[in-house]
Structures are given as structure tokens and as C-alpha cells.
């Protein structure tokens, strides 16, 4: 039995995939986290009348939103429009998008007993098949222009949302579980990891050509908590996804781990089984390279707020970044997602500067 992605258009620009695997590239590939987003007027138009999660459940809208930035900018990869919170939804939790506040759980997990309310066995095709359909449709619609990235949130990040009920500046409720209820925390993290593994494998079966795992809330943990409650699951996900892809005769796609604000764990992350380690803007490129070594590709690191600078300045910052990282075994990106009030022209300036400067550096 194989769910092998078949009949997709031939890929014309594989620069991103080659850089992810550590092969030589003529230019440094570039994409942006949240490149499909509110900074684009066409995104706001498409999304205007729709509930956020209803948009996530519409393969046609997800496809349109994923393609919008590629019509404007010569990006080297597309990332499927979706949200990390579709996994807690698949576990049976209800989430609403509150204007001005963001995603909000109607009934967050308060007591250990609340874990029993979660679905213990999730059929990802039944619960998240709409994401798979969106990926397949988008992969066809891309016509081989660039590769399509699939993604998921990592267990700790999802757990923190499920307990906090939304965003939080301290994550005190979620972290209190790690200290007060370590066994229950591990049960929840294990349940999440199992769903994430099936979900990521399903994304590849549907046509995703790379996968990114977002540990967005890593910065709330210190080295010890990260070692106990985040890293083991991050490692396990890479290993299990790869062995399931082999079992199902699916393509072995490159995997990216992005653990925001976790430079204390870079050495471990570099050995966690991912081809690419994503970086936020709070670490020096040379330091990151020294810690991860030569066998892993690095991604990211420009402060998103740099895009508020004049275009010439953006070019200078990009040049400096490329000189620091080197143009090979590197994927240019921001250190976090694009913000809604950013000028699309400045995003274009960033993308073009990466291509121009990396080509120039490679020639000389």
C-alpha cells in the first residue's frame, strides 16, 4: 500500500531543496515565514468575509492564499496556508479567532482529568484531510514553479496553547504543568507527537516536498525543561516521520526544525535528525554555524523588523547576513514571520537582495 504522490508537474526550481540537503546552489534560496499573510491586500480581500478556521478548511482558499505571494515575488518555496492549531482541533478542542486577541480556546485544559476529554486515537485523514486536499491542489496549481513546504507545531508549543487557552507572555499555566504534573505532561506531549507524526507523513503523501516543525514557544523553557519536555519529542518526530516515509515508499523530504529563542539548545537541535535548523534573529550567524557544524543547513535570522528599513538598507543587511552565513548550506528567511503592517515592496526588496547578493558572492 502506497499513498505515493503521483502525477505532479515537474519541479522547475529546486534550489530550496538542494540547499536543504546541503548540495551546491547558484543562488541562496529565500522564502518568508507568514509569506501568505495580511501584509498583502489581496490576502485581506480573499479572507475578508471568512472565519479564519473556515478558511483553513477550504482547500481552494488555502491554495489561493499560498500562491498569492508567489505571483508577486520570486520566492524559492511556497508554504501551505494553514495553522498549527488544527492539531488541537483534531484532538477535539474548540478554538475561535477573537479579533484583536487571536486564537482562543473555548475550554482550555485546566486539570489533568481534562486530558480524558481529548481524542486518544486520531484518524488524521478524517480530521485533517482538508489540509491534505489543500496540499495536493496547491502542488498541482504551483505547476512545478517552486517546492511546497508542509508544517506542524511541535508538541510543547501546542500543549502551551491548549493549557493557556491562547497567547501568553509567561506561559505560567502551561509551565506549571511541567513542574506539578510531569507524568500527565508527558502523556499529553506523547499524544500530540503521535498525531503530528501521522499528520506530517500525510502531508508528504499529499504532495508536500519539505516539512517544517515550529517550536515557537521554546523561548519560555530553559535548558532543563527543554531537554525534558521538548527535545525528546522533536527528535522522535524526525525519526518516526522518516521511518514511516520509508515504510510507505514515500519521498524522504528534508525536514526543518525552528525552535524560536532556543539558542541554548542549538547543538542538540543540530543533532536531532533534521536537515535544516531555523534561527531567530537573536543569535550571531557565525555563532550559530560554530554550534551546529558543517553538516546541517541553516535557515533564517533576519530580524523581521529590518523590513521597516528603507530598501537600500534592507539590501545592506541582507548582504551582511549572506557574508556571515556564507551562501551555501543556507536558506535565507526572517527570524520570525512577516508582520501585517509590512510593505509588500520591502518584502520584494528582501527577496531580490538575497538573489542578487548571493549570485554576486558566488561569482567572486
Amino acid at each position: 500500500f502506497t499513498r505515493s504522490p503521483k502525477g505532479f508537474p515537474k519541479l522547475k526550481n529546486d534550489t530550496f531543496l538542494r540547499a536543504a540537503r546541503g548540495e551546491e546552489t547558484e543562488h541562496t534560496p529565500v522564502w518568508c515565514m507568514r509569506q501568505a499573510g495580511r501584509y498583502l491586500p489581496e490576502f485581506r480581500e480573499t479572507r475578508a468575509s471568512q472565519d479564519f478556521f473556515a478558511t483553513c478548511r477550504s482547500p481552494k482558499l488555502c491554495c489561493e492564499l499560498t500562491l498569492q505571494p508567489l505571483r508577486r515575488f520570486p520566492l524559492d518555496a511556497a508554504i501551505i496556508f494553514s495553522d498549527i492549531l488544527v492539531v488541537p482541533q483534531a484532538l477535539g478542542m474548540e478554538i475561535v479567532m477573537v479579533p484583536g486577541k487571536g486564537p482562543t480556546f473555548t475550554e482550555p485544559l485546566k486539570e489533568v482529568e481534562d486530558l480524558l476529554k481529548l481524542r486518544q486515537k486520531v484518524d488524521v485523514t478524517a480530521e485533517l484531510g482538508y489540509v491534505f486536499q489543500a496540499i495536493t491542489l496547491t502542488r498541482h496549481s504551483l505547476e512545478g514553479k517552486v517546492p511546497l513546504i508542509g508544517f506542524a507545531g511541535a508538541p510543547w508549543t501546542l500543549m502551551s496553547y491548549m493549557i493557556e487557552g491562547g497567547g501568553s507572555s509567561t506561559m505560567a499555566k502551561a509551565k506549571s504543568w511541567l513542574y506539578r504534573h510531569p507524568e500527565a505532561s508527558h502523556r499529553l506531549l506523547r499524544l500530540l507527537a503521535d498525531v503530528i507524526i501521522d499528520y506530517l507523513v500525510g502531508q508528504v503523501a499529499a504532495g508536500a516536498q519539505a516539512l517544517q516543525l515550529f517550536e515557537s514557544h521554546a523561548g519560555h523553557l530553559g535548558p532543563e525543561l527543554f531537554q525534558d519536555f521538548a527535545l525528546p519529542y522533536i527528535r522522535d518526530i524526525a525519526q518516526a516521520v522518516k521511518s514511516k516515509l520509508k515504510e510507505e515508499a514515500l519521498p524522504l523530504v528534508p525536514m526543518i526544525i525552528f525552535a524560536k529563542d532556543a539558542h541554548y539548545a542549538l547543538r542538540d537541535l543540530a543533532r536531532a535528525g533534521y536537515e535544516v535548523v531555523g534561527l531567530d534573529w537573536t543569535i550571531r550567524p557565525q555563532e550559530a554555524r560554530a554550534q551546529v557544524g558543517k553538516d546541517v543547513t541553516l535557515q533564517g535570522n533576519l530580524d523581521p523588523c529590518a523590513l521597516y528599513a528603507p530598501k537600500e538598507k534592507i539590501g545592506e543587511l541582507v548582504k551582511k547576513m549572506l557574508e556571515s552565513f556564507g551562501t551555501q548550506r543556507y536558506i535565507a528567511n526572517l527570524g520570525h514571520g512577516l508582520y501585517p503592517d509590512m510593505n509588500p515592496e520591502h518584502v520584494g526588496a528582501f527577496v531580490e537582495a538575497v538573489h542578487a547578493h548571493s549570485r554576486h558572492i558566488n561569482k567572486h
Side-chain angles (χ1 to χ4, degrees), residues 186-250:
H186 280 298
R187 273 211 313 278
L188 174 54
L189 292 162
R190 181 72 261 160
L191 175 63
L192 284 162
D194 290 341
V195 178
I196 291 160
I197 289 160
D198 289 345
Y199 180 43
L200 289 173
V201 172
Q203 291 186 44
V204 176
Q209 289 151 293
L211 298 168
Q212 177 154 314
L213 189 68
F214 284 86
E215 188 70 281
S216 312
H217 295 168
H220 291 277
L221 303 175
E224 280 78 23
L225 289 179
F226 189 85
Q227 199 75 38
D228 288 347
F229 295 100
L231 189 63
Y233 300 98
I234 287 171
R235 278 196 190 118
D236 188 50
I237 287 166
Q239 204 181 335
V241 166
K242 287 175 180 186
S243 71
K244 286 195 177 201
L245 291 175
K246 276 202 189 94
E247 263 166 50
E248 297 197 27
L250 287 166

Side-chain angles (χ1 to χ4, degrees), residues 234-305:
I234 287 171
R235 278 196 190 118
D236 188 50
I237 287 166
Q239 204 181 335
V241 166
K242 287 175 180 186
S243 71
K244 286 195 177 201
L245 291 175
K246 276 202 189 94
E247 263 166 50
E248 297 197 27
L250 287 166
L252 274 180
V253 303
M255 294 178 72
I256 308 164
I257 176 67
F258 175 59
K260 190 168 177 299
D261 294 320
H263 13 103
Y264 56 80
L266 269 186
R267 275 197 168 75
D268 289 325
L269 289 167
R271 293 169 186 72
Y274 294 77
E275 286 69 24
V276 183
V277 173
L279 302 168
D280 58 58
W281 65 91
T282 62
I283 186 157
R284 289 192 176 85
Q286 294 91 334
E287 268 170 48
R289 180 58 78 195
Q291 288 190 44
V292 306
K294 291 186 172 51
D295 302 327
V296 177
T297 295
L298 290 172
Q299 171 179 285
N301 168 275
L302 188 72
D303 182 350
C305 291

Side-chain angles (χ1 to χ4, degrees), residues 53 83 85 95-98 101-105 161 165-167:
F53 287 108
D83 195 270
L85 298 181
I95 309 163
V96 291
M97 235 348 146
V98 178
K101 196 181 162 203
T104 307
F105 286 71
Y161 274 115

Side-chain angles (χ1 to χ4, degrees), residues 56-198:
C56 289
R57 284 189 292 273
S58 158
K60 234 175 89 190
L61 285 177
C62 288
C63 175
E64 166 59 22
L65 294 170
T66 303
L67 296 177
Q68 282 176 353
L70 292 153
R71 295 187 191 121
R72 278 189 186 243
F73 315 118
L75 294 153
D76 293 291
I79 183 162
I80 194 67
F81 177 82
S82 185
D83 195 270
I84 62 172
L85 298 181
V86 298
V87 167
Q89 285 179 328
L91 287 168
M93 295 189 82
E94 197 193 328
I95 309 163
V96 291
M97 235 348 146
V98 178
K101 196 181 162 203
T104 307
F105 286 71
T106 51
E107 291 179 42
L109 305 173
K110 288 196 170 74
E111 307 301 331
V112 170
E113 297 76 63
D114 294 342
L115 294 181
L116 300 172
K117 297 182 193 164
L118 299 174
R119 268 190 200 106
Q120 302 304 308
K121 263 271 165 262
V122 175
D123 173 346
V124 292
T125 309
E127 299 300 331
L128 296 166
Y130 59 89
V131 181
F132 302 156
Q133 288 166 7
I135 286 172
T136 303
L137 176 63
T138 306
R139 175 85 188 266
H140 282 294
S141 308
L142 274 167
E143 297 174 335
K145 194 173 171 176
V146 294
L148 179 61
I149 304 169
F151 71 90
W156 154 250
T157 293
L158 296 180
M159 169 181 171
S160 63
Y161 274 115
M162 290 159 76
I163 294 170
E164 296 288 342
S168 155
S169 58
T170 61
M171 296 291 161
K173 288 184 189 137
K175 285 174 71 178
S176 83
W177 273 54
L178 305 181
Y179 286 108
R180 285 164 46 221
H181 314 302
E183 291 81 12
S185 296
H186 280 298
R187 273 211 313 278
L188 174 54
L189 292 162
R190 181 72 261 160
L191 175 63
L192 284 162
D194 290 341
V195 178
I196 291 160
I197 289 160
D198 289 345

